[in-house]
Amino acid sequence: MVFRNVAPGVDRVEDDFTNWYLIQADDGITIVDCGVPRSWSSLLEAVGDRLGEVRAVVLTHAHFDHVGFAERARRELRVPVYVHENDVPLTRHPWRYDHERARAPYLATQLKALPIVAAFLRDRAFWPSPIGEVVRYQDGDTLPVPGSPVVVPTPGHTLGHCALHLADRDTVFAGDAFVTLDPYTGRTGPRLVARAATVDSERNLRTLDALAATGARTALTGHGTPWTRGVEAAVEAARHAGAA
Protein backbone atom coordinates (compact mmCIF):
# COMPACT_ATOMS: atom_id res chain seq x y z
CA MET A 1 0.00 0.00 0.00
CA VAL A 2 1.28 3.46 -0.94
CA PHE A 3 0.93 6.41 1.44
CA ARG A 4 1.75 9.71 -0.24
CA ASN A 5 3.60 12.59 1.41
CA VAL A 6 4.06 11.12 4.88
CA ALA A 7 6.78 13.79 5.09
CA PRO A 8 7.52 16.57 2.59
CA GLY A 9 8.22 14.86 -0.74
CA VAL A 10 8.43 11.40 0.86
CA ASP A 11 6.12 8.47 0.09
CA ARG A 12 5.78 5.45 2.34
CA VAL A 13 5.13 1.98 0.93
CA GLU A 14 4.10 -0.89 3.21
CA ASP A 15 4.33 -4.53 2.18
CA ASP A 16 3.98 -7.39 4.67
CA PHE A 17 4.11 -5.05 7.68
CA THR A 18 7.42 -3.63 6.41
CA ASN A 19 8.00 -0.04 5.27
CA TRP A 20 10.20 1.36 2.55
CA TYR A 21 10.25 4.87 1.15
CA LEU A 22 10.61 7.06 -1.90
CA ILE A 23 12.37 10.43 -1.64
CA GLN A 24 11.16 12.75 -4.40
CA ALA A 25 13.58 15.47 -5.51
CA ASP A 26 14.16 17.70 -8.53
CA ASP A 27 17.02 15.47 -9.67
CA GLY A 28 15.14 12.18 -9.35
CA ILE A 29 13.95 9.58 -6.86
CA THR A 30 15.84 7.76 -4.11
CA ILE A 31 14.52 4.47 -2.74
CA VAL A 32 15.16 4.01 0.99
CA ASP A 33 15.14 0.28 1.83
CA CYS A 34 13.50 -2.29 -0.44
CA GLY A 35 10.92 -4.20 1.56
CA VAL A 36 10.32 -7.80 0.50
CA PRO A 37 10.75 -9.36 -2.94
CA ARG A 38 7.13 -8.70 -3.96
CA SER A 39 7.66 -5.01 -3.21
CA TRP A 40 8.93 -4.67 -6.79
CA SER A 41 5.28 -4.63 -7.90
CA SER A 42 4.57 -1.93 -5.32
CA LEU A 43 7.46 0.10 -6.73
CA LEU A 44 5.94 -0.03 -10.20
CA GLU A 45 2.62 1.09 -8.77
CA ALA A 46 4.15 3.86 -6.68
CA VAL A 47 6.31 5.49 -9.37
CA GLY A 48 4.32 4.65 -12.50
CA ASP A 49 5.87 6.18 -15.60
CA ARG A 50 8.60 7.79 -13.45
CA LEU A 51 10.50 4.52 -13.01
CA GLY A 52 13.33 5.94 -15.13
CA GLU A 53 13.78 8.73 -12.58
CA VAL A 54 14.97 6.35 -9.86
CA ARG A 55 18.63 7.20 -9.26
CA ALA A 56 19.68 5.13 -6.25
CA VAL A 57 18.78 2.70 -3.50
CA VAL A 58 19.96 3.46 0.05
CA LEU A 59 19.69 0.81 2.76
CA THR A 60 19.46 1.70 6.44
CA HIS A 61 20.61 -1.88 7.09
CA ALA A 62 20.67 -5.22 5.31
CA HIS A 63 18.28 -7.59 7.07
CA PHE A 64 16.19 -9.81 4.78
CA ASP A 65 13.01 -7.70 5.08
CA HIS A 66 14.74 -4.52 3.91
CA VAL A 67 16.66 -5.71 0.85
CA GLY A 68 13.80 -7.45 -0.95
CA PHE A 69 14.11 -6.00 -4.47
CA ALA A 70 17.48 -4.25 -4.11
CA GLU A 71 19.31 -6.60 -6.46
CA ARG A 72 16.55 -6.36 -9.06
CA ALA A 73 16.68 -2.56 -8.90
CA ARG A 74 20.46 -2.65 -9.28
CA ARG A 75 20.30 -4.91 -12.32
CA GLU A 76 17.21 -3.68 -14.12
CA LEU A 77 17.34 0.03 -13.29
CA ARG A 78 21.14 0.16 -13.29
CA VAL A 79 21.26 2.17 -10.08
CA PRO A 80 23.76 1.95 -7.22
CA VAL A 81 22.81 0.34 -3.91
CA TYR A 82 24.31 2.17 -0.93
CA VAL A 83 24.89 0.44 2.40
CA HIS A 84 27.08 1.05 5.45
CA GLU A 85 30.40 -0.71 5.15
CA ASN A 86 29.74 -2.76 8.31
CA ASP A 87 26.58 -4.26 6.79
CA VAL A 88 28.13 -5.26 3.47
CA PRO A 89 28.52 -8.93 4.54
CA LEU A 90 24.78 -9.06 5.26
CA THR A 91 23.96 -8.04 1.69
CA ARG A 92 25.37 -11.39 0.57
CA HIS A 93 23.41 -13.41 3.19
CA PRO A 94 20.50 -11.24 4.45
CA TRP A 95 18.97 -14.04 6.52
CA ARG A 96 22.16 -15.05 8.31
CA TYR A 97 22.47 -12.27 10.87
CA ASP A 98 23.57 -12.33 14.50
CA HIS A 99 20.97 -11.86 17.23
CA GLU A 100 20.88 -11.99 21.02
CA ARG A 101 18.09 -14.53 21.49
CA ALA A 102 16.74 -17.52 19.58
CA ARG A 103 13.86 -16.81 17.20
CA ALA A 104 11.83 -19.96 17.89
CA PRO A 105 10.47 -18.96 21.33
CA TYR A 106 9.06 -15.72 19.87
CA LEU A 107 7.31 -17.63 17.11
CA ALA A 108 5.85 -20.01 19.68
CA THR A 109 4.63 -17.46 22.22
CA GLN A 110 3.97 -14.12 20.50
CA LEU A 111 0.54 -14.67 18.97
CA LYS A 112 0.22 -11.08 17.75
CA ALA A 113 3.24 -11.64 15.53
CA LEU A 114 1.80 -14.68 13.74
CA PRO A 115 0.13 -12.68 10.91
CA ILE A 116 3.45 -10.96 10.24
CA VAL A 117 5.37 -14.23 10.10
CA ALA A 118 2.65 -15.73 7.90
CA ALA A 119 2.95 -12.83 5.47
CA PHE A 120 6.73 -13.23 5.34
CA LEU A 121 6.38 -16.93 4.58
CA ARG A 122 3.63 -16.44 1.99
CA ASP A 123 5.67 -13.93 0.03
CA ARG A 124 9.07 -15.58 0.53
CA ALA A 125 10.35 -12.52 2.35
CA PHE A 126 12.95 -14.62 4.17
CA TRP A 127 14.73 -15.41 0.89
CA PRO A 128 15.64 -12.23 -1.00
CA SER A 129 18.32 -12.27 -3.67
CA PRO A 130 21.84 -11.40 -2.46
CA ILE A 131 23.05 -8.05 -3.75
CA GLY A 132 25.76 -8.46 -6.37
CA GLU A 133 27.48 -5.11 -5.89
CA VAL A 134 27.13 -2.26 -3.42
CA VAL A 135 28.51 1.21 -2.77
CA ARG A 136 29.79 1.54 0.78
CA TYR A 137 28.96 4.59 2.85
CA GLN A 138 30.43 5.69 6.18
CA ASP A 139 29.30 7.49 9.31
CA GLY A 140 28.41 11.12 8.69
CA ASP A 141 28.43 10.95 4.89
CA THR A 142 26.09 13.09 2.85
CA LEU A 143 25.05 10.72 0.11
CA PRO A 144 25.19 11.90 -3.53
CA VAL A 145 21.61 10.85 -4.27
CA PRO A 146 18.32 12.77 -4.68
CA GLY A 147 17.40 14.33 -1.35
CA SER A 148 21.03 14.31 -0.10
CA PRO A 149 20.36 12.33 3.10
CA VAL A 150 22.95 12.59 5.85
CA VAL A 151 24.07 9.30 7.39
CA VAL A 152 23.48 9.09 11.16
CA PRO A 153 25.20 6.01 12.66
CA THR A 154 22.85 4.03 14.89
CA PRO A 155 24.48 0.58 15.31
CA GLY A 156 22.89 -2.04 17.50
CA HIS A 157 20.06 -3.58 15.52
CA THR A 158 22.83 -4.48 13.09
CA LEU A 159 26.48 -3.48 13.38
CA GLY A 160 26.16 -1.17 10.39
CA HIS A 161 22.68 0.19 11.02
CA CYS A 162 22.26 3.85 10.15
CA ALA A 163 19.48 6.41 10.10
CA LEU A 164 19.16 8.95 7.30
CA HIS A 165 18.45 12.61 8.07
CA LEU A 166 16.72 15.04 5.74
CA ALA A 167 17.19 18.25 7.72
CA ASP A 168 15.45 20.45 5.14
CA ARG A 169 12.34 18.26 5.45
CA ASP A 170 12.50 17.91 9.25
CA THR A 171 12.50 14.15 8.77
CA VAL A 172 14.66 11.21 9.78
CA PHE A 173 14.46 7.67 8.43
CA ALA A 174 14.99 5.66 11.61
CA GLY A 175 15.09 2.28 9.89
CA ASP A 176 14.94 -0.30 12.69
CA ALA A 177 16.90 1.74 15.24
CA PHE A 178 13.46 1.93 16.80
CA VAL A 179 10.13 0.88 15.36
CA THR A 180 6.47 1.58 16.05
CA LEU A 181 5.59 -2.07 15.38
CA ASP A 182 7.85 -4.89 16.55
CA PRO A 183 7.44 -7.66 13.97
CA TYR A 184 8.59 -10.29 16.47
CA THR A 185 5.97 -9.49 19.12
CA GLY A 186 3.29 -7.47 17.36
CA ARG A 187 3.58 -4.75 20.00
CA THR A 188 3.10 -1.16 18.89
CA GLY A 189 4.51 2.18 19.97
CA PRO A 190 8.18 3.25 19.86
CA ARG A 191 10.44 0.39 20.97
CA LEU A 192 13.51 -1.57 19.94
CA VAL A 193 13.10 -4.59 17.71
CA ALA A 194 13.09 -7.80 19.77
CA ARG A 195 16.40 -9.41 20.65
CA ALA A 196 15.58 -12.21 18.19
CA ALA A 197 16.61 -9.78 15.45
CA THR A 198 18.97 -7.39 17.24
CA VAL A 199 22.68 -8.02 17.57
CA ASP A 200 23.38 -5.65 20.51
CA SER A 201 20.38 -4.11 22.24
CA GLU A 202 22.52 -2.25 24.79
CA ARG A 203 24.38 -0.50 22.00
CA ASN A 204 21.09 0.10 20.21
CA LEU A 205 19.77 1.95 23.25
CA ARG A 206 22.90 4.10 23.48
CA THR A 207 22.80 5.12 19.85
CA LEU A 208 19.25 6.44 20.14
CA ASP A 209 20.98 9.63 21.33
CA ALA A 210 22.12 10.22 17.75
CA LEU A 211 18.54 10.04 16.53
CA ALA A 212 17.34 12.44 19.19
CA ALA A 213 20.11 14.86 18.25
CA THR A 214 18.61 15.32 14.78
CA GLY A 215 15.63 17.08 16.37
CA ALA A 216 13.47 15.91 13.49
CA ARG A 217 9.73 16.34 13.77
CA THR A 218 8.92 13.21 11.74
CA ALA A 219 10.53 9.79 12.21
CA LEU A 220 9.89 7.14 9.57
CA THR A 221 10.50 3.61 10.77
CA GLY A 222 11.06 0.24 9.13
CA HIS A 223 7.93 -1.20 10.74
CA GLY A 224 4.82 0.62 11.92
CA THR A 225 3.22 3.98 11.31
CA PRO A 226 5.15 7.27 11.06
CA TRP A 227 5.92 9.16 14.25
CA THR A 228 5.11 12.87 13.91
CA ARG A 229 5.46 14.17 17.47
CA GLY A 230 9.19 14.78 17.48
CA VAL A 231 11.92 12.18 17.46
CA GLU A 232 13.04 13.07 21.00
CA ALA A 233 9.68 11.90 22.35
CA ALA A 234 9.92 8.70 20.31
CA VAL A 235 13.40 8.00 21.66
CA GLU A 236 12.21 8.52 25.23
CA ALA A 237 9.34 6.09 24.66
CA ALA A 238 11.63 3.55 22.98
CA ARG A 239 14.05 3.68 25.90
CA HIS A 240 11.20 3.01 28.31
CA ALA A 241 9.86 0.09 26.24
CA GLY A 242 13.28 -1.41 25.48
CA ALA A 243 13.59 -4.68 23.53
CA ALA A 244 11.56 -7.82 24.15
Side-chain angles (χ1 to χ4, degrees):
M1 185 176 295
V2 181
F3 301 87
R4 302 291 185 186
N5 291 309
V6 294
V10 178
D11 297 333
R12 168 184 166 233
V13 188
E14 182 183 355
D15 295 306
D16 296 347
F17 302 92
T18 300
N19 299 321
W20 53 280
Y21 299 91
L22 300 169
I23 303 174
Q24 313 279 352
D26 292 341
D27 55 344
I29 299 170
T30 295
I31 300 169
V32 176
D33 292 333
C34 290
V36 298
R38 79 172 183 90
S39 297
W40 179 260
S41 296
S42 299
L43 173 67
L44 300 182
E45 174 190 350
V47 301
D49 59 6
R50 299 184 63 202
L51 188 62
E53 297 180 38
V54 174
R55 299 287 180 262
V57 168
V58 180
L59 302 177
T60 59
H61 63 297
H63 276 177
F64 69 92
D65 53 336
H66 296 271
V67 304
F69 66 85
E71 173 61 9
R72 188 167 184 179
R74 187 189 72 84
R75 287 187 289 104
E76 297 191 17
L77 303 183
R78 299 180 182 275
V79 298
V81 177
Y82 290 83
V83 67
H84 191 276
E85 58 183 355
N86 288 343
D87 263 18
V88 170
L90 280 178
T91 65
R92 305 184 188 113
H93 307 284
W95 174 243
R96 287 160 45 184
Y97 54 82
D98 292 333
H99 44 93
E100 291 181 330
R101 290 184 179 171
R103 302 182 185 104
Y106 290 85
L107 301 180
T109 62
Q110 301 297 325
L111 298 182
K112 289 183 179 180
L114 290 180
I116 302 172
V117 175
F120 283 169
L121 288 170
R122 181 191 65 225
D123 293 325
R124 296 187 59 80
F126 293 116
W127 301 280
S129 297
I131 304 172
E133 182 179 354
V134 298
V135 178
R136 300 170 184 244
Y137 64 70
Q138 298 180 352
D139 298 352
D141 284 354
T142 298
L143 299 181
V145 302
S148 302
V150 175
V151 174
V152 179
T154 50
H157 181 60
T158 68
L159 295 180
H161 190 287
C162 290
L164 303 169
H165 187 205
L166 300 180
D168 60 337
R169 308 188 196 202
D170 206 12
T171 297
V172 63
F173 298 93
D176 283 2
F178 76 84
V179 293
T180 54
L181 168 66
D182 180 358
Y184 282 80
T185 65
R187 297 173 187 170
T188 58
R191 63 191 60 250
L192 304 192
V193 175
R195 291 179 172 90
T198 295
V199 67
D200 187 341
S201 56
E202 182 179 343
R203 189 176 186 187
N204 194 163
L205 282 169
R206 290 201 309 269
T207 59
L208 291 178
D209 288 342
L211 273 176
T214 68
R217 179 69 179 173
T218 299
L220 302 175
T221 62
H223 303 275
T225 55
W227 180 271
T228 58
R229 288 176 280 167
V231 69
E232 299 99 324
V235 163
E236 182 178 355
R239 287 189 189 284
H240 179 74

